[in-house]
Amino acid sequence: MEKPNSITPPRGKLGVLLPGMGAVATTFMAGVELVRQKKAVPVGSLTQLGTIRLGKRTDGRSPKIKDFVKLAKLEDLVFGGWDIFPESSYEAAAKAGVLDAHHLAAVKQFLSKIKPLPAAFDREYVKLLDGKNVKKGKSKYDIALQIKDDIAKFKKKHGCSRIVMLWCGSTEVFMTPHEVHQTAESFEKAMKESHPAVAPSMLYAWAAITSGIAYGNGAPNLTVDIPAMQELAQKHKVAIGGKDFKTGQTLIKTVLAPAFKARMLGLNGWFSTNILGNRDGEVLEDPGSFKTKEESKLGALEFILQPHLYPELYKKIHHKVRINYYPPRGDNKEGWDNIDIFGWLGYPMQIKVDFLCRDSILAAPIVLDLVLFLDLAQRAGMRGIQEWLSFYFKSPMTAPQLYPEHDLFIQLMKLKNTLRWMQGEDLITHLGQEYYD
Ligand SMILES: NC(=O)c1ccc[n+]([C@@H]2O[C@H](COP(=O)([O-])OP(=O)(O)OC[C@H]3O[C@@H](n4cnc5c(N)ncnc54)[C@H](O)[C@@H]3O)[C@@H](O)[C@H]2O)c1
């Protein structure tokens, strides 16, 4: 793709539409509002706190990312979305139990005004959920058209110049690409026939893309990872990205695994288990939804360690991922990793990681960054899969002929080099010979 000649400045309001307004979505919106009220710092957000080095190390140029590329301002974000539960985002946030009472009180007025629209939902795709705030229609196509209508009305009501849609809804059952996903035409026909290969998340994505709106996928659902959506994204000049926010355990995995490979240390096994008690954990109790998450979590090691290139080190890895729903923990997940590595002469060693994390606190800044970067990509005319946003995803989408890059630091370099490229700055190669000439 050619470097964008010009990037349209972010004038006016940016609408943020979220299918799924549960723990992650409400923590994100509350956090943006608390930052706007100057009551919090946007910790964890690269777009808000990160800098980017330009030119040589001796040049001393390291602007903030948000000043280097023109990103939408937090003041200009307006929020909306859909959920199967009709409660306001204040009630949903209170129920999610992520935020302390003083934070909730500070955003009560703001969140109380955000009420989810009726959702496109079908229990066949998320077995352990049931709610009444659901759209009715003659066919899946009819429901997708209702979502398009919701988008148009939201845009008008809030006077948005642009909109980004980011899936923060539940994990759907495991699905593999089907022949109806192959072309935009076959997909549209399948929606009209209410074909089972069309999941609710796909209806939102189709509505967004065909309305010229960027779509990001925070869950491991198949959704836009199919040729039909990619064809539509090209046609409608829309940026898309996914899948599954890289927050806790996979973040750590994609930091540690590259270190082992860099030092040519071997790996016998990696056992990852989680205990969590939020609604996400409840949904993942269903084997269909768990399988979708498991696939998303398993990929990283294989792609980072490349066993076909290093058979002595990584040929036989026992990689297991478990998720256990344990209500007392709420959103405060515990991610345990037992890692069996081996060193010189094959001597075994072990590493144990116990990450007592907070799921939605880790996910919220990712939602913010993705919204702002997808809007940037859209204004820069970058369409289709945005691989430079792999940094944020557990299971990054790529062009069909490519394997995904999972190493967090390669992903970060790719992201920052993409920003430099967009702005016509030299890419940073880390060669550094010029300092010694
Ligand atoms: N928090 C993390 O660390 C993290 C990391 C990676 C991915 N995710 C994914 O992000 C998503 C959201 O997580 P969460 O903790 O907020 O879960 P949550 O259960 O609190 O919220 C999800 C919301 O989506 C709604 N929903 C489900 N299907 C819907 C549909 N078809 N249309 C509209 N709304 C729908 C549910 O009613 C629920 O309110 C999940 O898929 C989760 O797997 C979370």
Side-chain angles (χ1 to χ4, degrees):
M1 188 188 248
E2 276 182 40
K3 186 181 91 54
N5 287 330
S6 64
I7 304 176
T8 319
R11 285 202 196 93
K13 298 270 177 227
L14 172 63
V16 182
L17 282 176
L18 306 166
M21 306 189 88
V24 170
T26 56
T27 308
F28 153 66
M29 294 186 290
V32 170
E33 177 61 11
L34 286 163
V35 174
R36 296 199 285 213
Q37 293 178 11
K38 309 220 173 337
K39 290 185 175 140
V41 175
V43 178
S45 163
L46 186 67
T47 59
Q48 302 307 299
L49 300 182
T51 62
I52 182 161
R53 197 246 291 181
L54 305 174
K56 292 186 183 174
R57 264 183 279 164
T58 45
D59 291 353
R61 293 166 68 208
S62 290
K64 281 225 167 151
I65 287 176
K66 65 176 177 182
D67 298 326
F68 175 57
V69 281
K70 298 278 173 269
L71 296 177
K73 295 202 168 23
L74 299 193
E75 288 67 30
D76 291 331
L77 303 188
V78 283
F79 306 94
W82 300 262
D83 205 289
I84 66 168
F85 301 112
E87 288 84 23
S88 75
S89 289
Y90 173 72
E91 290 164 279
K95 199 176 277 176
V98 178
L99 300 174
D100 289 344
H102 77 289
H103 276 144
L104 270 179
V107 293
K108 181 169 183 180
Q109 223 190 352
F110 163 74
L111 286 183
S112 299
K113 286 193 205 131
I114 303 173
K115 298 207 169 84
L117 295 162
F121 182 73
D122 183 338
R123 285 199 77 192
E124 278 305 305
Y125 302 85
V126 184
K127 305 258 190 250
L128 298 183
L129 272 190
D130 203 4
K132 295 212 169 1
N133 194 36
V134 171
K135 290 191 191 311
K136 290 187 179 59
K138 290 194 294 291
S139 65
K140 292 185 177 179
Y141 182 68
D142 185 40
I143 288 175
L145 293 180
Q146 293 178 38
I147 300 175
K148 274 182 84 111
D149 198 41
D150 290 344
I151 297 171
K153 285 189 179 131
F154 178 88
K155 189 169 184 193
K156 191 154 174 232
K157 179 173 169 198
H158 295 279
C160 301
S161 60
R162 296 108 52 221
I163 292 184
V164 168
M165 188 186 288
L166 195 67
W167 176 269
C168 290
S170 308
T171 300
E172 295 176 331
V173 293
F174 184 62
M175 290 173 73
T176 46
H178 186 279
E179 64 186 69
V180 302
H181 298 147
Q182 287 310 306
T183 66
E185 198 185 341
S186 60
F187 184 79
E188 194 173 310
K189 184 164 173 279
M191 280 197 295
K192 287 178 178 158
E193 291 166 357
S194 296
H195 195 287
V198 178
S201 63
M202 293 174 177
L203 304 180
Y204 292 98
W206 181 86
I209 296 171
T210 57
S211 304
I213 288 172
Y215 184 94
N217 183 7
N221 306 338
L222 190 61
T223 321
V224 280
D225 209 357
I226 54 173
M229 295 290 183
Q230 287 152 29
E231 181 190 325
L232 286 167
Q234 291 296 334
K235 183 174 162 202
H236 294 273
K237 302 188 174 58
V238 164
I240 55 174
K243 312 186 288 240
D244 206 6
F245 302 130
K246 173 150 91 174
T247 48
Q249 194 165 57
T250 309
L251 172 73
I252 300 295
K253 202 170 266 180
T254 60
V255 169
L256 289 179
F260 304 148
K261 189 170 96 172
R263 285 296 166 90
M264 292 287 107
L265 293 169
L267 184 72
N268 281 324
W270 198 312
F271 177 66
S272 300
T273 189
N274 297 273
I275 47 180
L276 77 163
N278 56 15
R279 187 177 281 144
D280 187 30
E282 195 178 350
V283 166
L284 294 171
E285 280 271 279
D286 171 55
S289 291
F290 172 69
K291 169 93 174 133
T292 314
K293 195 58 124 181
E294 186 187 28
E295 290 287 320
S296 167
K297 279 176 161 264
L298 282 175
L301 278 190
E302 181 89 9
F303 286 115
I304 291 175
L305 298 175
Q306 299 175 299
H308 59 288
L309 296 180
Y310 307 100
E312 308 95 320
L313 302 176
Y314 308 122
K315 195 175 53 198
K316 262 207 202 139
I317 304 169
H318 298 273
H319 188 195
K320 284 206 182 317
V321 175
R322 294 283 175 268
I323 296 177
N324 306 286
Y325 176 54
Y326 180 62
R329 283 301 167 87
D331 201 63
N332 296 349
K333 182 164 83 178
E334 184 158 1
W336 291 78
D337 285 285
N338 170 77
I339 313 161
D340 286 289
I341 61 171
F342 57 91
W344 186 242
L345 311 178
Y347 282 87
M349 295 173 260
Q350 288 185 11
I351 298 175
K352 315 271 180 190
V353 180
D354 185 8
F355 189 5
L356 296 158
C357 64
R358 291 174 188 264
D359 247 10
S360 303
I361 293 297
L362 291 170
I366 296 185
V367 176
L368 173 61
D369 285 2
L370 281 170
V371 164
L372 298 185
F373 280 146
L374 281 169
D375 172 52
L376 173 72
Q378 195 67 26
R379 283 185 284 109
M382 293 161 73
R383 56 180 96 163
I385 299 168
Q386 303 298 305
E387 203 200 316
W388 62 288
L389 298 177
S390 297
F391 179 67
Y392 295 106
F393 293 116
K394 265 202 226 8
S395 180
M397 281 168 59
T398 58
Q401 70 277 17
L402 293 178
Y403 67 83
E405 196 53 78
H406 281 271
D407 176 330
L408 188 82
F409 299 104
I410 296 179
Q411 292 173 331
L412 180 62
M413 213 186 315
K414 187 192 269 292
L415 186 154
K416 288 193 173 180
N417 267 339
T418 305
L419 298 178
R420 294 181 185 107
W421 168 80
M422 286 165 93
Q423 296 294 102
E425 288 281 340
D426 288 344
L427 305 189
I428 290 192
T429 62
H430 297 289
L431 178 65
Q433 283 299 325
E434 68 274 22
Y435 301 115
Y436 298 91
D437 284 344

